[in-house]
Amino acid sequence: MGRVHVASAFLLAALVLAAPATAQQGTAQISGRVTDTQGAVLPGVSVVVRNEETGATRELTSSVEGSYSAAQLTPGRYAVTAKLTGFRTMERSHLVLQVGTTLTIDLSLPVGGIEESVTVTGQSPLVDTTSATVGGNVGTAELSELPAMNRNYFSAVALLPGVQFSPSNQMGNDTIVANGQTSQNTNVSVDGGYNADDALGTSSGAQVRTPLEAVQEFQVLTSMYDAEFGRASGAIVNAVSKSGTNQFRGVLFGYAASNALTAEDYFVHRNNLEKPTTTKREWGGVVGGPIIRNKLHFFGSLERQVDNPNRTRVFETRPDQNFAIAEDRTDWNTLVRVDHQINQSHSWAVRWLREWAPQWTTIGNRQTPESSQDETDLDQTAVGTLTSVIGNSHVNTVRIARTWEHWWHGNACFRAQGPNPDRAGFNFGQETDGQQKLCAPQLNQSSFIGQASTESQGPWDSNYQIEDDFSWFIPGKKGDHEVKVGARYNYTELKRVSQINENGTFTINSDAPFNAADPRTYPERLSIRMGTFNELITNHTVELYAQDKWKLGGRTTLSIGVRYDLEIIPIDETTNPLFNGSKDHPVDRNNIAPRIGFSRTFDDRGRSVLRGGYGIFYNRTILGAIDDVLEQSKYTASNVVNFPNASADPGPSAGRFPTDPFLVNGPVVNRALLEQMFPPGANIKNAGVVVFDAPGRQQPFAHQATIGFGRELTPTIAINADFVHTANRDMFLARNLNPMVRVNTTRTGAITRVNAFGELDEAYTERVWVMENTGYNDYDALNISLEKRFADGWSGRVSYSLSKSFGTAENQADKNTYQTLTSLNLDQWESPSSVDRRHILALNSRLDVPKTRGATLAATFRYMTGTPFTIFNSNIDVNQNGELTDPSPAGTYNGTAPDAAVLTGVKNNGGRNGAIGPDYLQLDLRAGWRGRVREGQAVEIFFDIFNVTNRANFDNPSGDERVNSTFLVLTNLRGGGGFPRQAQFGVRYTF
């Protein structure tokens, strides 16, 4: 991309630092105009904006043009009152202000005495006529009253158009896919504080799960968001926690799903296996109220989850390995929040969120119980804000936040080495005392993984955030201007210790048990890590922005903004030959992102709006991708090596004994010989895969353009349609500087490595990848939604997306395996994205059943077409480049395994991701009853049924023709366990 000269960045910095500020995430705004009943503007009107629940007020005076604006308000229910001598007092009450939105409330004052008042109780407009943003909001009622399998707010996020739901049986790991990007590329905040994983992005959901009962609402921005938001190529998820009010209010709740009310999963039923005991229990409560009425409030949440989800695996070639078990997952989640309005000019708030979530006997793809793993995990986040109202038109918010975590992935063998008798073995945080190399090696057989897990690693990471946000309302300058400027600084420190694969992995081209007399049961390759890897990586980010929402007259709003993102990840590049001995690391300093949007209403009541815009949006660098240049550097004390190095030993697959000295004794690690070659603790040249940073590495970015239309059909029904085009550029796609040439097309053919580009300083024994910005992805979508706000006893939402995601890059650690010598063959790598779903449909509804004295019904329905996958044959290296990923020709393919879950008639268009996997469908229902106990107290009893039709939703099958037992066989249920039909009882007591 052509870059703006770096001097422009300093001009922008000077502009922003003149009035320091940043994104007002977690807040919202009310603005409008005051007139008399004839439409003449009224200056000097006293306007009071009051939070009806907390009593917090903001006093304003209308401008010469009669306009007013109250920025950086906490979302909630508000009343707006206008007073002027000679006119009756006008009040608009029960106005629901949603996070991230601008509520336009125009007031018309009738002539009369100021002591006379007119109060209008009405609903907030459904269509925001001042914004070009594509997205939506979900509030408390939908969160608490719709059935949600894991009680995770990401399930409600995915009810909005353009968002895919990616459920997981793992605790708190539900996540989403948005904007045609993978799940790692969403940015999540809670109360304006960063809440995403620095190492993994959002591939496992938010950093700390915010319990449903503690969430007031959330906003999802999928496209064309203002300059205050950034560092994402997917969605922005902006959640707000509940706060205390002037009334003591709370909820006590309990949910239980018994084994008797949980159906057998697909594989248990089909193979007549014993059904595992699967249960789920959740209980807790929230409470909030005043410490000092109208001034100081508190809110607290406590939640306990105990979950035993099903896990079943079936291996047709080894039925003795079939199993059905229940995993063991628990967590404690705690939230505390305090809000204080010191006076009408100053207020502060603090919030702390913590979750402790150990998980035992977790099963991944192809794993058996003996190769299972576990996790101990502690996540925390805290945020504090100070908001100051300066005069009639200025508001400033200072925010500080921290997010920190430690987790450790281990296994039963590793944990047993600890000093404690419990399952954790080690004191939390002291897991590095264990030694994974003492465990038996893993056996990677054709269809399954046996004997032991290789997983033994954990990070200690912390993100510190400080920001300032300044809003300035400027009326009467050829319209009204709502100006925002801001700055944010983040410092991230990631310490990671990895013993992954220190026990070694033997690859065996067979599913048969080892037999010393049968050469086909011998391993054909050993992969092993020699030495523990210790990492410390830091990241400094600076974000600056300026935004002007310019209201031209009463119907047109222009949103003009510019944003600057600077990311500094210090990496010592001394041993990187591409840097010629320099320690300097790449820093992309020209990330200036202009954005412009418009909205135009077609009537004075603002019922219809045409909106659109264009902008540049920079993504963030995922530390879990860039840290490969540290873990797989040129010199290391933690070599990950293969024997044989080039390709599999040809003996076992041909019925001969292997000749490699590390394989001749079968699946037994020759530790003594290994330590002769790789002395423990020695920092030597890496004999395995090397990853180099690129001197010109840049931050990925996207061009976005949208055009949309919204219409409020009635005061409670609105329809929205938006077309979105996103062109992601400079995406990471690694190139091999040490490409291979295979002597023939067989998978065991001899390999030579070539310094084809002439960029390497010496010979290397394995692949040498360099992280480069050669990838792209284009995304086009039509998002349509029809929303019915709760009124007349029911509400509903229909969301539909027709989309296409296509390109050469997805995740930041992607590597191009179609390269042949110096030819990158990007035209062959180009394909539909692996998260491309052509059709996504979501429906939800809530109903108070009439004439039943409290009966309620609710439902959610989701349907998504399948995602692409590649059909290939790892027995054949068609282009002789040493990689066994060449796609099979176009045609119709059939699985041949004697398995009821095998797919036949699969159409393959050829190339990468040329086939389409199974679709996804799920219907969840809730029936309940709500009754009042006494004034202000109520009981809700409900019965949920998840996956009513007991639909088996599968992950994509293997596309490898070489392994007949798994080719086109559906072996893994969606989310890990597939969520078989389950009934759940629940009760909520509100007071």
Side-chain angles (χ1 to χ4, degrees), residues 165-207:
F165 183 43
S166 183
S168 172
N169 276 137
Q170 290 193 323
M171 188 70 70
N173 283 4
D174 291 352
T175 189
I176 59 170
V177 170
N179 217 22
Q181 298 296 291
T182 59
S183 59
Q184 71 175 201
N185 295 310
T186 292
N187 202 340
V188 180
S189 68
V190 179
D191 300 320
Y194 183 68
N195 192 33
D197 192 309
D198 294 293
L200 303 175
T202 48
S203 56
S204 297
Q207 177 75 79

Side-chain angles (χ1 to χ4, degrees), residues 577-696:
L578 306 181
F579 285 77
N580 299 316
S582 171
K583 290 185 178 180
D584 292 341
H585 48 84
V587 179
D588 187 4
R589 301 184 184 274
N590 294 316
N591 300 329
I592 295 179
R595 300 179 192 177
I596 183 168
F598 75 91
S599 60
R600 169 72 178 177
T601 62
F602 295 96
D603 57 87
D604 292 333
R605 296 176 58 185
R607 292 179 299 180
S608 300
V609 61
L610 178 69
R611 56 180 174 256
Y614 164 79
I616 295 176
F617 301 78
Y618 282 89
N619 199 1
R620 68 189 185 280
T621 301
I622 304 298
L623 293 184
I626 193 65
D627 73 349
D628 285 350
V629 306
L630 300 179
E631 185 170 4
Q632 297 171 278
S633 58
K634 179 178 178 180
Y635 294 99
T636 181
S638 181
N639 270 273
V640 180
V641 290
N642 294 310
F643 302 96
N645 176 60
S647 58
D649 189 304
S653 61
R656 304 189 304 270
F657 288 104
T659 57
D660 188 282
F662 287 99
L663 307 178
V664 292
N665 294 321
V668 179
V669 175
N670 189 336
R671 187 72 59 178
L673 180 57
L674 282 168
E675 292 185 353
Q676 289 179 18
M677 300 174 63
F678 304 96
N683 192 48
I684 60 178
K685 187 177 177 183
N686 193 342
V689 174
V690 174
V691 178
F692 284 139
D693 203 357

Side-chain angles (χ1 to χ4, degrees), residues 268-342:
V268 168
H269 179 74
R270 194 201 73 190
N271 293 277
N272 198 29
L273 299 176
E274 182 179 351
K275 178 177 175 288
T277 302
T278 56
T279 60
K280 182 166 61 175
R281 300 180 301 280
E282 304 172 58
W283 57 265
V286 300
V287 63
I291 300 173
I292 303 174
R293 286 180 59 84
N294 297 327
K295 301 283 286 185
L296 183 62
H297 304 86
F298 77 94
F299 179 83
S301 167
L302 176 68
E303 182 171 284
R304 172 66 167 169
Q305 291 187 335
V306 179
D307 190 15
N308 304 109
N310 58 293
R311 283 290 188 277
T312 305
R313 297 289 184 269
V314 173
F315 309 104
E316 295 294 336
T317 57
R318 286 287 300 277
D320 61 303
Q321 295 290 329
N322 294 349
F323 68 91
I325 66 170
E327 298 181 347
D328 184 1
R329 309 179 184 278
T330 60
D331 82 53
W332 284 102
N333 188 288
T334 310
L335 181 146
V336 177
R337 174 171 173 156
V338 176
D339 295 77
H340 183 202
Q341 180 164 6
I342 304 169

Side-chain angles (χ1 to χ4, degrees), residues 97 498 834 939 947:
L97 181 62
S498 176
S834 64
V939 171
N947 195 7

Side-chain angles (χ1 to χ4, degrees), residues 33-94:
R33 190 176 300 272
V34 187
T35 65
D36 63 19
T37 54
Q38 304 302 313
V41 298
L42 294 177
V45 178
S46 173
V47 178
V48 177
V49 178
R50 176 175 56 87
N51 187 309
E52 294 180 333
E53 296 176 307
T54 68
T57 59
R58 184 82 61 84
E59 293 186 1
L60 308 162
T61 302
S62 65
S63 68
V64 174
E65 290 75 23
S67 54
Y68 71 94
S69 180
Q72 301 192 38
L73 296 171
T74 301
R77 194 177 74 240
Y78 281 82
V80 180
T81 305
K83 296 181 180 181
L84 183 66
T85 302
F87 293 86
R88 297 180 183 179
T89 297
M90 170 63 72
E91 178 177 293
R92 290 281 303 274
S93 62
H94 292 80

Side-chain angles (χ1 to χ4, degrees), residues 69-296:
S69 180
Q72 301 192 38
L73 296 171
T74 301
R77 194 177 74 240
Y78 281 82
V80 180
T81 305
K83 296 181 180 181
L84 183 66
T85 302
F87 293 86
R88 297 180 183 179
T89 297
M90 170 63 72
E91 178 177 293
R92 290 281 303 274
S93 62
H94 292 80
L95 302 170
V96 177
L97 181 62
Q98 296 180 316
V99 59
T101 62
T102 296
L103 195 57
T104 301
I105 302 299
D106 294 329
L107 302 169
S108 179
L109 304 189
V111 175
I114 195 171
E115 70 282 357
E116 301 178 78
S117 64
V118 178
T119 300
V120 178
T121 301
Q123 294 177 319
S124 307
L126 275 170
V127 176
D128 186 350
T129 60
T130 68
S131 176
T133 297
V134 180
N137 290 69
V138 176
T140 303
E142 284 182 278
L143 290 172
S144 63
E145 297 179 18
L146 290 175
M149 287 184 303
N150 294 332
R151 301 190 68 249
N152 189 317
Y153 68 75
F154 275 112
S155 66
V157 167
L159 297 174
L160 299 171
V163 182
Q164 301 178 30
F165 183 43
S166 183
S168 172
N169 276 137
Q170 290 193 323
M171 188 70 70
N173 283 4
D174 291 352
T175 189
I176 59 170
V177 170
N179 217 22
Q181 298 296 291
T182 59
S183 59
Q184 71 175 201
N185 295 310
T186 292
N187 202 340
V188 180
S189 68
V190 179
D191 300 320
Y194 183 68
N195 192 33
D197 192 309
D198 294 293
L200 303 175
T202 48
S203 56
S204 297
Q207 177 75 79
V208 190
R209 183 183 62 89
T210 309
L212 280 185
E213 294 287 356
V215 177
Q216 177 170 313
E217 66 167 314
F218 59 83
Q219 179 189 39
V220 183
L221 310 175
T222 56
S223 301
M224 215 39 243
Y225 31 88
D226 289 343
E228 59 184 303
F229 298 103
R231 303 194 72 218
S233 61
I236 300 287
V237 179
N238 193 12
V240 177
S241 63
K242 291 179 179 177
S243 59
T245 68
N246 280 335
Q247 301 293 325
F248 283 101
R249 294 179 179 173
V251 178
L252 297 176
F253 62 86
Y255 302 82
S258 71
N259 182 55
L261 296 178
T262 303
E264 298 175 333
D265 70 44
Y266 173 85
F267 294 112
V268 168
H269 179 74
R270 194 201 73 190
N271 293 277
N272 198 29
L273 299 176
E274 182 179 351
K275 178 177 175 288
T277 302
T278 56
T279 60
K280 182 166 61 175
R281 300 180 301 280
E282 304 172 58
W283 57 265
V286 300
V287 63
I291 300 173
I292 303 174
R293 286 180 59 84
N294 297 327
K295 301 283 286 185
L296 183 62

Side-chain angles (χ1 to χ4, degrees), residues 355-382:
E355 184 167 62
W356 164 249
Q359 305 178 49
W360 307 105
T361 319
T362 62
I363 303 289
N365 292 346
R366 302 176 61 240
Q367 285 185 312
T368 57
E370 64 178 354
S371 62
S372 67
Q373 57 198 55
D374 56 54
E375 177 181 7
T376 47
D377 186 10
L378 177 63
D379 300 286
Q380 300 181 77
T381 175

